[in-house]
Amino acid sequence: MSTERILWVVGCILVWLLMVLLMYRGWKNRARRQAETVGTLPQVPADLGEQLIAPSTGLYVGSTLAPSWQDRIAVGDIGHRATGELSRWTRGVLLERDGASAIWIPNESIRAIRTERGLAGKVMTKDGVLVIRWELPTGTEVDTGFRGDDKTVYPVWVRETSSDDTANAAGSGEVEQNGEDA
């Protein structure tokens, strides 16, 4: 190998390392800026109540600050995608993620459950992601996305919310996603 080729390879590796470092710093800065807005997430209670919807496996897509479908939350491990299991209980929604902490969404925090094309930079076909809009203890509304392995359960989730949480859904106002009114 010639010296010129070696210098080009080393230069490309250094540029790649610089880009990775800049992305990492950007993610950490985003987490720092969002820390106060997001605060601490609700803890999973010891008693979840009665199970209303059986667990469904799939991919936790991420959580975003509502109403933006791309403003991904970077605080803690809530910004990391992971496979997991989503289930509905009388006291709330439990999202157990593989290799990450569980996300508990109390019933009184849920504003709407709907389907969308995408969330947190992941775009799919129409109604490919189940999105739960809920309010954090800080008062900030977030959208949490889950792409189920079996999308036939989505209507059960949407119907369950529309009949049980009509008052909560009406209180959050108009929902906008991907530039369209829901």
Side-chain angles (χ1 to χ4, degrees), residues 2 7 13-14 24 37 54-55 63 67 82 90-91 93 99 102 105 116 120 124 132 137 147 154 160 166 168:
S2 70
L7 289 174
I13 291 171
L14 289 175
Y24 177 77
T37 304
S63 293
T90 52
R91 295 190 59 202
V93 174
I105 305 172
E116 291 294 340
M124 290 179 287
I132 303 170
R147 182 182 56 93
Y154 289 179
E160 182 76 25
T166 306
N168 280 346

Side-chain angles (χ1 to χ4, degrees), residues 8-179:
W8 273 107
V9 169
V10 168
C12 287
I13 291 171
L14 289 175
V15 167
W16 180 80
L17 286 173
L18 177 66
M19 293 299 140
V20 169
L21 175 67
L22 290 174
M23 286 189 296
Y24 177 77
R25 285 186 61 199
W27 185 257
K28 289 298 183 185
N29 285 336
R30 175 186 289 240
R32 184 181 43 76
R33 286 190 312 269
Q34 292 176 343
E36 189 175 314
T37 304
V38 173
T40 58
L41 298 177
Q43 296 296 313
V44 179
D47 178 26
L48 304 175
E50 183 184 333
Q51 189 174 54
L52 301 176
I53 300 177
S56 179
T57 60
L59 175 71
Y60 165 71
V61 175
S63 293
T64 63
L65 296 174
S68 175
W69 70 285
Q70 291 185 324
D71 192 6
R72 173 176 252 163
I73 296 175
V75 176
D77 69 351
I78 195 170
H80 303 289
R81 287 190 176 129
T83 57
E85 205 171 68
L86 184 69
S87 57
R88 181 82 190 252
W89 303 81
T90 52
R91 295 190 59 202
V93 174
L94 178 62
L95 177 55
E96 295 180 286
R97 302 179 296 156
D98 298 334
S101 62
I103 297 174
W104 174 250
I105 305 172
N107 241 7
E108 61 274 5
S109 298
I110 297 173
R111 299 296 173 250
I113 299 180
R114 65 192 190 280
T115 57
E116 291 294 340
R117 284 189 301 249
L119 185 80
K122 184 150 187 90
V123 179
M124 290 179 287
T125 61
K126 183 178 190 289
D127 299 331
V129 180
L130 185 69
V131 177
I132 303 170
R133 177 160 294 173
W134 58 293
E135 187 176 325
L136 295 171
T138 61
T140 303
E141 284 192 353
V142 298
D143 286 333
T144 296
F146 184 78
R147 182 182 56 93
D149 293 333
D150 179 14
K151 291 171 189 52
T152 61
V153 300
Y154 289 179
V156 175
W157 280 88
V158 175
R159 185 175 49 251
E160 182 76 25
T161 301
S162 63
S163 62
D164 288 352
D165 299 328
T166 306
N168 280 346
S172 69
E174 194 76 21
V175 176
E176 183 178 306
Q177 186 71 16
N178 299 339

